[in-house]
Amino acid sequence: MALDVTLVDVSFLPGSEGRDGVLARPEGEHAYPAVVLIQEWWGLEPHILDLCKKLAAEGFVVLAPDLYHGEVADHPEEAERKMMALRMDAAIDEIAHAVAYLKVRPDVSPRKVGIVGFCMGGHLTWKAAERLGDHLQAIAPFYGGGYAPTKDEISQIDAPVLAVWAENDGWIPTESREHIAHLLEETGRVHEVWVAPAEHAFMNDTRPRYDEACAKIGFEKLTGWFHRHLS
Protein backbone atom coordinates (compact mmCIF):
# COMPACT_ATOMS: atom_id res chain seq x y z
CA MET A 1 0.00 0.00 0.00
CA ALA A 2 1.34 3.44 -0.98
CA LEU A 3 2.28 5.73 1.90
CA ASP A 4 1.02 9.28 2.40
CA VAL A 5 3.70 11.79 1.43
CA THR A 6 4.83 15.28 2.50
CA LEU A 7 6.58 17.56 -0.03
CA VAL A 8 8.69 20.49 1.27
CA ASP A 9 11.39 22.88 0.08
CA VAL A 10 14.81 22.36 1.70
CA SER A 11 18.21 24.03 1.90
CA PHE A 12 21.30 21.82 1.86
CA LEU A 13 24.08 23.77 0.14
CA PRO A 14 26.75 25.38 2.35
CA GLY A 15 25.69 28.87 3.41
CA SER A 16 22.32 28.63 1.67
CA GLU A 17 19.11 29.89 3.21
CA GLY A 18 16.90 29.51 0.14
CA ARG A 19 15.41 26.55 -1.72
CA ASP A 20 18.13 24.21 -2.93
CA GLY A 21 15.72 21.40 -3.71
CA VAL A 22 12.46 19.67 -2.92
CA LEU A 23 12.17 16.84 -0.41
CA ALA A 24 9.42 14.20 -0.48
CA ARG A 25 9.09 11.79 2.44
CA PRO A 26 6.49 9.41 3.84
CA GLU A 27 4.48 10.95 6.64
CA GLY A 28 5.02 9.70 10.20
CA GLU A 29 7.97 9.00 12.46
CA HIS A 30 9.54 6.05 10.63
CA ALA A 31 12.95 6.25 8.91
CA TYR A 32 13.57 5.16 5.32
CA PRO A 33 16.44 4.77 2.85
CA ALA A 34 17.09 7.81 0.66
CA VAL A 35 17.20 8.71 -3.02
CA VAL A 36 18.47 11.75 -4.92
CA LEU A 37 16.29 12.30 -7.99
CA ILE A 38 17.86 14.39 -10.76
CA GLN A 39 15.77 16.46 -13.14
CA GLU A 40 15.43 16.32 -16.91
CA TRP A 41 16.58 19.32 -18.93
CA TRP A 42 13.29 21.11 -18.17
CA GLY A 43 14.04 21.72 -14.48
CA LEU A 44 11.93 20.91 -11.42
CA GLU A 45 8.67 20.74 -13.35
CA PRO A 46 5.48 18.81 -12.43
CA HIS A 47 6.68 15.46 -13.83
CA ILE A 48 9.79 15.44 -11.62
CA LEU A 49 7.86 16.53 -8.53
CA ASP A 50 5.28 13.82 -9.22
CA LEU A 51 8.04 11.21 -9.50
CA CYS A 52 9.43 12.40 -6.16
CA LYS A 53 6.05 11.86 -4.52
CA LYS A 54 5.50 8.48 -6.18
CA LEU A 55 8.92 7.22 -5.11
CA ALA A 56 8.46 8.53 -1.57
CA ALA A 57 5.11 6.74 -1.39
CA GLU A 58 7.03 3.49 -1.97
CA GLY A 59 9.10 4.03 1.18
CA PHE A 60 11.98 6.39 0.39
CA VAL A 61 13.10 9.87 1.46
CA VAL A 62 13.53 11.58 -1.92
CA LEU A 63 15.46 14.79 -2.61
CA ALA A 64 15.39 16.55 -5.99
CA PRO A 65 18.13 19.21 -6.22
CA ASP A 66 17.03 22.35 -8.06
CA LEU A 67 19.91 22.56 -10.51
CA TYR A 68 18.34 25.53 -12.36
CA HIS A 69 17.78 27.41 -9.07
CA GLY A 70 14.13 28.27 -9.47
CA GLU A 71 13.91 28.38 -13.26
CA VAL A 72 11.89 25.94 -15.39
CA ALA A 73 11.97 25.69 -19.19
CA ASP A 74 8.74 25.54 -21.17
CA HIS A 75 10.08 24.85 -24.67
CA PRO A 76 12.80 22.49 -25.99
CA GLU A 77 14.94 25.36 -27.26
CA GLU A 78 14.91 26.99 -23.83
CA ALA A 79 15.60 23.67 -22.11
CA GLU A 80 18.57 23.03 -24.40
CA ARG A 81 20.01 26.49 -23.65
CA LYS A 82 19.69 25.91 -19.91
CA MET A 83 21.28 22.47 -20.13
CA MET A 84 24.19 23.79 -22.23
CA ALA A 85 24.72 26.65 -19.76
CA LEU A 86 24.77 24.30 -16.78
CA ARG A 87 28.25 23.74 -15.37
CA MET A 88 28.32 19.96 -14.98
CA ASP A 89 31.04 19.94 -12.30
CA ALA A 90 29.04 22.44 -10.24
CA ALA A 91 25.89 20.35 -10.71
CA ILE A 92 27.71 17.25 -9.46
CA ASP A 93 28.94 19.27 -6.47
CA GLU A 94 25.29 20.04 -5.64
CA ILE A 95 24.37 16.38 -6.04
CA ALA A 96 27.21 15.41 -3.69
CA HIS A 97 25.91 17.89 -1.10
CA ALA A 98 22.43 16.40 -1.52
CA VAL A 99 23.80 12.91 -0.81
CA ALA A 100 25.68 14.14 2.27
CA TYR A 101 22.57 15.97 3.52
CA LEU A 102 20.42 12.87 3.24
CA LYS A 103 22.92 10.66 5.05
CA VAL A 104 22.74 12.75 8.23
CA ARG A 105 18.97 13.25 8.34
CA PRO A 106 17.37 11.45 11.31
CA ASP A 107 14.57 10.11 9.09
CA VAL A 108 17.06 8.29 6.83
CA SER A 109 17.87 4.74 7.90
CA PRO A 110 19.80 2.76 6.95
CA ARG A 111 22.35 5.39 5.92
CA LYS A 112 22.11 4.37 2.29
CA VAL A 113 21.51 6.67 -0.68
CA GLY A 114 20.75 5.94 -4.31
CA ILE A 115 20.56 8.26 -7.32
CA VAL A 116 18.08 8.18 -10.18
CA GLY A 117 18.10 10.66 -13.05
CA PHE A 118 16.27 11.15 -16.31
CA CYS A 119 17.64 12.45 -19.64
CA MET A 120 20.15 15.14 -18.55
CA GLY A 121 19.71 13.74 -15.05
CA GLY A 122 20.61 10.28 -16.32
CA HIS A 123 23.93 11.59 -17.61
CA LEU A 124 24.56 13.35 -14.29
CA THR A 125 23.73 10.12 -12.45
CA TRP A 126 26.54 8.33 -14.28
CA LYS A 127 29.03 11.14 -13.67
CA ALA A 128 28.08 11.57 -10.01
CA ALA A 129 28.52 7.83 -9.46
CA GLU A 130 32.03 8.02 -10.93
CA ARG A 131 32.98 10.75 -8.48
CA LEU A 132 31.16 9.58 -5.35
CA GLY A 133 32.24 5.94 -5.42
CA ASP A 134 31.23 4.04 -2.29
CA HIS A 135 29.20 6.99 -0.97
CA LEU A 136 26.37 5.63 -3.14
CA GLN A 137 24.66 2.28 -2.73
CA ALA A 138 22.63 2.12 -5.98
CA ILE A 139 22.07 4.16 -9.14
CA ALA A 140 19.47 4.13 -11.90
CA PRO A 141 20.27 6.32 -14.93
CA PHE A 142 17.29 6.55 -17.30
CA TYR A 143 18.11 7.37 -20.95
CA GLY A 144 21.09 9.58 -20.09
CA GLY A 145 22.51 10.72 -23.41
CA GLY A 146 26.06 11.80 -24.17
CA TYR A 147 27.70 9.38 -21.74
CA ALA A 148 30.67 7.70 -23.40
CA PRO A 149 32.79 6.30 -20.57
CA THR A 150 36.17 4.67 -20.66
CA LYS A 151 36.84 1.41 -18.86
CA ASP A 152 38.61 3.37 -16.11
CA GLU A 153 35.63 5.67 -15.65
CA ILE A 154 33.15 2.79 -15.37
CA SER A 155 35.50 1.12 -12.89
CA GLN A 156 35.10 4.12 -10.57
CA ILE A 157 31.40 3.29 -10.13
CA ASP A 158 30.96 1.14 -7.03
CA ALA A 159 27.16 1.26 -6.79
CA PRO A 160 24.94 -1.41 -8.41
CA VAL A 161 23.61 0.00 -11.70
CA LEU A 162 20.12 -0.25 -13.18
CA ALA A 163 20.66 1.16 -16.68
CA VAL A 164 17.46 1.98 -18.56
CA TRP A 165 17.32 3.05 -22.19
CA ALA A 166 14.69 3.30 -24.93
CA GLU A 167 14.94 1.19 -28.05
CA ASN A 168 13.80 3.99 -30.37
CA ASP A 169 15.87 6.85 -28.98
CA GLY A 170 17.28 9.31 -31.48
CA TRP A 171 19.43 10.86 -28.76
CA ILE A 172 21.23 7.65 -27.78
CA PRO A 173 22.51 5.36 -30.56
CA THR A 174 22.39 1.60 -30.09
CA GLU A 175 26.19 1.40 -30.16
CA SER A 176 26.42 3.87 -27.26
CA ARG A 177 24.28 1.82 -24.91
CA GLU A 178 25.94 -1.42 -26.04
CA HIS A 179 29.35 0.13 -25.29
CA ILE A 180 28.25 0.98 -21.74
CA ALA A 181 26.64 -2.42 -21.19
CA HIS A 182 29.83 -4.13 -22.40
CA LEU A 183 31.98 -2.11 -19.98
CA LEU A 184 29.65 -2.86 -17.07
CA GLU A 185 30.01 -6.56 -17.85
CA GLU A 186 33.77 -6.42 -18.50
CA THR A 187 34.51 -4.58 -15.24
CA GLY A 188 32.28 -6.83 -13.15
CA ARG A 189 29.88 -4.10 -12.04
CA VAL A 190 26.67 -5.32 -10.40
CA HIS A 191 24.15 -4.25 -12.99
CA GLU A 192 20.90 -4.81 -14.83
CA VAL A 193 20.07 -3.38 -18.25
CA TRP A 194 16.59 -2.78 -19.62
CA VAL A 195 15.94 -1.41 -23.11
CA ALA A 196 12.29 -0.38 -23.23
CA PRO A 197 10.36 -0.76 -26.51
CA ALA A 198 9.65 2.96 -26.46
CA GLU A 199 11.08 6.40 -27.30
CA HIS A 200 13.28 8.80 -25.34
CA ALA A 201 11.61 10.24 -22.20
CA PHE A 202 8.98 7.50 -22.14
CA MET A 203 8.57 7.98 -18.37
CA ASN A 204 7.36 11.59 -18.70
CA ASP A 205 3.56 11.63 -18.71
CA THR A 206 3.48 15.35 -19.58
CA ARG A 207 5.23 14.87 -22.94
CA PRO A 208 4.23 13.29 -26.28
CA ARG A 209 6.66 10.36 -26.06
CA TYR A 210 5.11 9.03 -22.83
CA ASP A 211 4.50 5.28 -22.95
CA GLU A 212 2.17 4.20 -20.14
CA ALA A 213 3.02 0.50 -20.25
CA CYS A 214 6.79 1.03 -20.35
CA ALA A 215 6.61 3.74 -17.68
CA LYS A 216 4.82 1.31 -15.37
CA ILE A 217 7.48 -1.36 -15.92
CA GLY A 218 10.27 1.20 -15.54
CA PHE A 219 8.92 2.44 -12.22
CA GLU A 220 8.50 -1.11 -10.92
CA LYS A 221 12.09 -1.91 -11.90
CA LEU A 222 13.28 1.29 -10.24
CA THR A 223 11.54 0.71 -6.92
CA GLY A 224 12.55 -2.95 -6.91
CA TRP A 225 16.20 -2.04 -7.52
CA PHE A 226 16.26 0.52 -4.73
CA HIS A 227 14.43 -1.70 -2.25
CA ARG A 228 16.93 -4.48 -3.01
CA HIS A 229 20.08 -2.37 -2.62
CA LEU A 230 19.10 0.37 -0.17
CA SER A 231 16.83 -1.32 2.37
Side-chain angles (χ1 to χ4, degrees):
M1 183 175 67
L3 303 169
D4 293 331
V5 169
T6 300
L7 193 71
V8 296
D9 294 342
V10 293
S11 300
F12 59 84
L13 296 177
S16 173
E17 296 180 357
R19 184 184 89 156
D20 298 323
V22 175
L23 185 88
R25 70 170 312 281
E27 294 180 355
E29 301 301 321
H30 294 289
Y32 300 91
V35 173
V36 175
L37 192 154
I38 309 177
Q39 67 190 56
E40 295 181 321
W41 68 350
W42 307 103
L44 288 194
E45 40 79 59
H47 163 60
I48 293 299
L49 299 180
D50 184 59
L51 278 175
C52 287
K53 291 186 286 188
K54 287 176 62 179
L55 198 52
E58 296 296 323
F60 301 96
V61 178
V62 184
L63 174 56
D66 186 358
L67 300 179
Y68 289 168
H69 305 131
E71 297 183 1
V72 176
D74 294 321
H75 304 287
E77 296 81 5
E78 182 186 7
E80 184 175 16
R81 285 196 299 272
K82 289 185 179 301
M83 180 181 70
M84 297 303 294
L86 185 69
R87 291 178 52 235
M88 290 294 174
D89 284 347
I92 295 171
D93 285 343
E94 293 188 29
I95 293 165
H97 283 299
V99 171
Y101 169 81
L102 288 171
K103 287 205 172 189
V104 298
R105 282 183 62 93
D107 56 357
V108 171
S109 181
R111 302 292 181 188
K112 293 183 177 182
V113 178
I115 297 183
V116 57
F118 302 85
C119 185
M120 178 186 83
H123 179 93
L124 284 168
T125 298
W126 287 112
K127 299 306 292 184
E130 288 179 10
R131 185 195 295 186
L132 296 177
D134 61 6
H135 292 283
L136 298 174
Q137 284 67 54
I139 66 168
F142 276 65
Y143 36 80
Y147 184 59
T150 64
K151 183 176 179 180
D152 286 344
E153 287 170 332
I154 282 286
S155 297
Q156 295 172 30
I157 297 175
D158 290 330
V161 179
L162 171 65
V164 176
W165 289 291
E167 184 176 359
N168 306 309
D169 191 335
W171 293 82
I172 305 172
T174 301
E175 54 268 26
S176 294
R177 64 179 190 249
E178 289 180 347
H179 167 71
I180 296 170
H182 170 74
L183 288 180
L184 290 169
E185 187 70 29
E186 183 180 7
T187 57
R189 304 301 94 180
V190 175
H191 71 283
E192 179 180 324
V193 170
W194 182 51
V195 181
E199 297 181 71
H200 184 83
F202 67 85
M203 295 286 290
N204 191 335
D205 60 1
T206 69
R207 301 291 169 179
R209 297 190 185 98
Y210 174 62
D211 186 302
E212 183 177 5
C214 288
K216 183 176 184 293
I217 295 170
F219 188 73
E220 289 171 350
K221 286 182 175 292
L222 174 63
T223 54
W225 192 254
F226 281 162
H227 277 305
R228 189 181 320 160
H229 293 288
L230 301 181
S231 297

